[in-house]
Amino acid sequence: MRSLLPSGDSDNLDVDVDLHAHYALDWIGVGGFRVNFVSSLDGSATVSGLSRGLQTPGDNRVFAALRDLADVIVVGAATATAENYRPARPTQERQATRRRFGLADRPTIAVLSSSLAIDLSAELSAAASPDAPTWIVTTSAAPPERRAKLGAAIANGLNVRLLEIPSQDGVPVDVASELLREAGYVHQLCEGGPHLFAAAARASAVDELCLTVAPLLAGPGGPRITNGHEWPDDAVRSAELVGLLTEDDALFCRYTIR
Ligand SMILES: NC(=O)c1ccc[n+]([C@@H]2O[C@H](COP(=O)([O-])OP(=O)(O)OC[C@H]3O[C@@H](n4cnc5c(N)ncnc54)[C@H](OP(=O)(O)O)[C@@H]3O)[C@@H](O)[C@H]2O)c1
């Protein structure tokens, strides 16, 4: 993978970028809410309902490096289900990389859901462990019977932490991010999906977007990387390009959101 920004060594285009160093800059020691997405050239976030058809080998390496630099992976309930999320279990080598950056051996996963229609027998909850419990982040308006069922499962030993935020209209992502930070999860990596990203950006919770532009046309039908209600003009955000890598005709952009 080559770096275009910061500009690489023009005499030696074969030099491979150190992805951890690239994405750790202005991140480790600072933290924040970083979002990672892959999109087709024509703006689709999925092929046949999943992101897999958009991924390239380089995108998979960026995805892994970003996870290696995160305390918590924040994800919407639909993405957790569609993409079959499980507790993260990094290899020994990746644990060593994490330690080198001062992070715990494993990132934890936090799932946002208003409905609490979460399958507690799925691996993400059922296989979570005390050192990296899965967090479920919801609102005070969640259905009481599902809230009670979750509370009972936790009382019976399910390694899940429940974070309930007062709101009648979805989890305010800025508040959730701040509470996770107070709980020690300083480096927050949001892996989508599009509804969560739109809510997070609308709440001014997003510090950074890491966007892979995959070199293919997916055609109409798939969602964009933001989804939900249209924004008023004054909600539109601008961004600054702070990193740009390329490999196999794909672009790996790193933007700071203003
Ligand atoms: N291209 C990529 O990089 C990429 C990345 C991620 C996902 N995807 C794709 O995106 C699709 C899913 O799209 P999506 O927009 O539906 O995903 P999503 O944002 O993960 O899921 C939406 C659901 O997540 C919960 N949620 C999101 N924001 C919330 C908030 N602020 N407060 C409370 N709950 C919140 C809600 O769950 P409840 O209904 O339980 O309340 C909501 O219905 C999948 O096909 C997936 O493969 C693509």
Side-chain angles (χ1 to χ4, degrees):
M1 194 172 300
R2 278 195 299 131
S3 178
L4 304 176
L5 182 72
S7 55
D9 179 355
S10 55
D11 292 335
N12 188 358
L13 295 180
D14 292 332
V15 173
D16 214 16
V17 169
D18 178 340
L19 287 179
H20 290 101
H22 180 83
Y23 288 104
L25 189 69
D26 297 328
W27 172 253
I28 294 295
V30 184
F33 192 94
R34 166 184 265 176
V35 176
N36 183 31
F37 267 99
V38 57
S39 165
S40 67
L41 289 175
D42 52 345
S44 180
T46 60
V47 171
S48 304
L50 291 175
S51 60
R52 192 168 304 133
L54 297 168
Q55 296 163 13
T56 66
D59 178 61
N60 292 335
R61 298 205 310 284
V62 168
F63 183 89
L66 294 176
R67 281 195 159 203
D68 289 342
L69 298 171
D71 297 312
V72 63
I73 294 159
V74 181
V75 70
T79 296
T81 301
E83 306 272 351
N84 195 19
Y85 268 59
R86 296 162 191 184
R89 293 194 186 87
T91 60
Q92 295 282 334
E93 188 186 348
R94 289 179 66 183
Q95 288 180 28
T97 300
R98 294 178 57 82
R99 270 182 240 131
R100 195 156 50 82
F101 287 102
L103 304 183
D105 286 357
R106 312 168 52 181
T108 198
I109 300 204
V111 186
L112 268 67
S113 171
S114 293
S115 72
L116 280 188
I118 289 176
D119 178 4
L120 298 178
S121 67
E123 238 185 291
L124 183 56
S125 300
S129 56
D131 64 320
T134 293
W135 286 63
I136 295 179
V137 186
T138 192
T139 71
S140 47
E145 64 288 355
R146 289 192 182 138
R147 166 74 182 77
K149 190 176 159 204
L150 177 57
I154 293 171
N156 281 329
L158 193 73
N159 288 307
V160 165
R161 300 265 171 82
L162 178 65
L163 180 58
E164 198 179 84
I165 299 176
S167 168
Q168 296 297 312
D169 187 25
V171 171
V173 186
D174 51 341
V175 177
S177 171
E178 186 53 39
L179 292 172
L180 286 170
R181 191 180 178 99
E182 283 170 13
Y185 302 103
V186 172
H187 305 91
Q188 303 172 356
L189 173 65
C190 175
E191 294 181 342
H195 279 93
L196 174 53
F197 180 31
R202 186 76 177 85
S204 299
V206 179
D207 298 306
E208 191 176 311
L209 172 63
C210 298
L211 177 67
T212 296
V213 181
L216 49 84
L217 297 171
R224 292 165 42 198
I225 64 170
T226 54
N227 206 346
H229 299 299
E230 203 172 323
W231 286 358
D233 287 351
D234 63 2
V236 172
R237 316 289 309 280
S238 63
E240 179 189 359
L241 184 66
V242 295
L244 182 62
L245 310 177
T246 184
E247 180 185 87
D248 295 338
D249 302 312
L251 292 173
F252 306 92
C253 314
R254 184 179 173 193
Y255 284 99
T256 299
I257 307 297
R258 291 201 177 97

